[in-house]
Amino acid sequence: MTQHPTEGTCPFHNSNGHDPASPAIPPLTRRADQLSRTGAAIEVDERGVYRVHSFQAARAVLKDEGVRQAGFMSEMAAQMGGLKQPPVLFSEGETHHSMRRDTARYFTPTSVAEYQPMIAALADDLIGELAAKGELDLDDLSLKLAVNVAAQVVGLTSSRLPGMEQRITAFVDGGGDSEPGAAQIRSRGAAFKQQANLALFFALDVKPAIQARKKERRDDLISHLLDKNYNDVEILTECLTYGTAGMVTTREFISAAAWHLLQNADLRNEYLHVTEKERHAILHEILRLEPVVSTLYRRAERDLTIDGVSVPQGSLMALNVQEANSDPQTVGERPLEVCPGRSLPRGVQAPVLAFGDGHHRCPGAFLAIKESDLFLRRLLIWNDLRIVTPPSVHYNEVVKGYELRGFRVALGAGSAVR
């Protein structure tokens, strides 16, 4: 795949792949309500939250040792009983670094390569199901893939009943807002239902996995946590962390990437006929434009100065990933278009901040792209794959990301792309 400088025309900007006058496909999931109101790199809202919009300011926050994780309900989790050892997503300092070193082996390219036959077999089964039924929701297929892959890594493979994907998503879909200090508009019934779903997930999925690995350790996260003397509550919390981070987000990205590729004939053709490295570059660029998690939160542990703005100790900072990822000062011209191979400054990776940065950068980034690629290439190679109903775009305030639902696709007994 040719490297394309930030200047000039991206060859994939046409919506139909043929008409040079055709408008570019805009971002499909962009949240207008989160965009900067003034164009400033940092704004302070009425609640005193520092809203960070530029790439340089956001990355500076993520790399600063004077901040701590404040997203994904980490501050609420810190108040839970029974957690002597915080989940890796919420921990800081040497505790966090040690946990990341201990679990890094599950996400290395070598380990991911060992998962490849399993992922490929899952993908083939799911596409076979689509072909047999003729039409299915792609978001349901991507959920099954993401849950089964993450389950293998975590060790959630001893469930008493099928349906773990519904139990995971029920927790995320329970309502509420994960922004620290945000008003929780949720009924008592909804809160009770979420607790009941959490109890089911523990009883049917997590506890059986713990029991099986107490009898015989395996090469997975739960076995490692048992070796570290984690208790049941701590293991449940880690499983929820990896469940939402590794299952829910990958599900959405697969749908977003398929939506782009099915609408852009040239980009789809390029994707199907290049090397794996080049396919990954295309997926990284789509992820840059459509980051699944749109907002990351950090709490200042000391007085900070970010991009010339003084941030007092204790302040909450909300980093707008979608704006940071489309900051023209970093990504160049046509920041709101898919242009794989765009030139980026030294040290800036292709997904920009879609996987985060600093010591809390997503450990499963390579696995997420690998499984997405294995599935999408097998799916998109069929000429008669088509969109029946495009997905509706919703936003989940627990994950702080988009949800694509009702993405109906059809596949007949056609021939593959040659």
Side-chain angles (χ1 to χ4, degrees):
M1 183 170 62
T2 304
Q3 288 288 315
H4 306 294
T6 54
E7 300 81 10
T9 301
C10 175
F12 304 116
H13 79 279
N14 298 330
S15 63
N16 60 19
H18 299 290
D19 180 6
S22 177
I25 298 174
L28 301 172
T29 65
R30 197 167 177 85
R31 292 194 67 166
D33 63 313
Q34 291 187 343
L35 302 181
S36 172
R37 295 168 292 182
T38 66
I42 303 177
E43 300 170 333
V44 186
D45 70 11
E46 59 279 359
R47 292 201 302 113
V49 178
Y50 286 75
R51 305 280 172 183
V52 180
H53 302 283
S54 75
F55 167 79
Q56 290 294 348
R59 186 167 69 163
V61 172
L62 292 172
K63 287 183 172 293
D64 199 305
E65 292 293 328
V67 305
R68 61 176 168 81
Q69 172 71 271
F72 303 103
M73 297 186 175
S74 59
E75 295 184 335
M76 292 174 62
Q79 301 171 11
M80 288 176 56
L83 286 181
K84 295 180 181 179
Q85 305 184 76
V88 64
L89 184 64
F90 305 157
S91 61
E92 298 291 346
E94 182 53 36
T95 299
H96 177 82
H97 297 314
S98 177
M99 294 169 73
R100 288 290 291 259
R101 287 192 297 269
D102 287 346
T103 58
R105 69 179 188 271
Y106 300 117
F107 304 103
T108 64
T110 300
S111 293
V112 172
E114 294 177 359
Y115 305 138
Q116 182 165 336
M118 175 268 294
I119 299 172
L122 276 170
D124 288 339
D125 287 345
L126 292 170
I127 295 167
E129 181 182 352
L130 171 60
K133 294 185 177 179
E135 289 185 19
L136 285 173
D137 285 352
L138 182 57
D139 43 298
D140 288 341
L141 295 177
S142 63
L143 175 62
K144 290 178 182 178
L145 178 77
V147 167
N148 278 281
V149 172
Q152 292 290 328
V153 178
V154 175
L156 292 169
T157 58
S158 305
S159 298
R160 290 194 172 99
L161 290 174
M164 181 170 63
E165 59 266 25
Q166 281 76 35
R167 293 188 284 275
I168 287 283
T169 56
F171 176 77
V172 175
D173 294 339
D177 190 333
S178 65
E179 177 165 298
Q184 300 300 316
I185 305 173
R186 186 171 54 167
S187 68
R188 184 175 300 178
F192 177 80
K193 184 177 180 181
Q194 188 176 50
Q195 289 299 316
N197 287 325
L198 182 60
L200 280 175
F201 176 58
F202 176 73
L204 298 178
D205 304 299
V206 178
K207 188 63 176 178
I210 292 173
Q211 292 171 336
R213 280 145 188 82
K214 282 183 176 179
K215 293 178 181 178
E216 182 180 358
R217 295 292 200 268
R218 302 181 192 178
D219 188 19
D220 54 39
L221 180 67
I222 291 178
S223 295
H224 169 74
L225 296 176
L226 288 170
D227 287 341
K228 292 290 185 178
N229 296 316
Y230 275 54
N231 62 38
D232 285 1
V233 175
E234 290 163 346
I235 293 176
L236 169 63
T237 307
E238 288 286 9
C239 289
L240 279 175
T241 299
Y242 282 94
T244 53
M247 301 176 188
V248 176
T249 54
T250 303
R251 171 199 194 178
E252 304 303 342
F253 173 65
I254 290 174
S255 293
W259 197 7
H260 270 276
L261 291 162
L262 284 169
Q263 290 186 92
N264 191 322
D266 282 353
L267 184 62
R268 178 185 180 183
N269 187 63
E270 173 93 354
Y271 175 77
L272 290 173
H273 292 96
V274 295
T275 65
E276 180 186 69
K277 181 179 179 180
E278 291 168 325
R279 293 196 306 275
H280 286 191
I282 291 172
L283 295 180
H284 281 145
E285 172 67 355
I286 294 174
L287 181 60
R288 177 196 68 80
L289 191 63
E290 314 284 4
V292 180
V293 177
S294 62
T295 309
L296 300 174
Y297 295 96
R298 295 294 186 269
R299 182 78 67 178
E301 295 278 77
R302 55 176 172 77
D303 291 344
L304 303 174
T305 300
I306 303 295
D307 200 28
V309 177
S310 296
V311 181
Q313 180 181 358
S315 297
L316 179 68
M317 292 168 284
L319 317 181
N320 190 316
V321 178
Q322 59 178 357
E323 285 194 288
N325 279 12
S326 57
D327 186 338
Q329 295 187 24
T330 298
V331 305
E333 294 185 357
R334 300 186 181 276
L336 298 181
E337 296 180 24
V338 173
C339 186
R342 66 173 61 242
S343 296
L344 295 170
R346 183 182 297 274
V348 179
Q349 299 186 33
V352 190
L353 297 182
F355 284 122
D357 207 334
H359 59 280
H360 276 290
R361 187 178 189 273
C362 175
F366 183 76
L367 174 60
I369 292 298
K370 182 76 171 183
E371 69 177 280
S372 299
D373 179 47
L374 284 167
F375 177 75
L376 287 168
R377 189 162 187 268
R378 282 167 164 75
L379 177 68
L380 293 166
I381 202 169
W382 296 99
N383 271 326
D384 56 352
L385 177 73
R386 65 191 186 280
I387 296 175
V388 177
T389 307
S392 56
V393 182
H394 308 277
Y395 299 102
N396 187 304
E397 298 300 342
V398 175
V399 179
K400 287 297 174 183
Y402 56 80
E403 293 180 333
L404 303 179
R405 296 293 177 268
F407 191 0
R408 197 75 173 175
V409 295
L411 177 63
S415 60
V417 174
R418 300 298 181 189

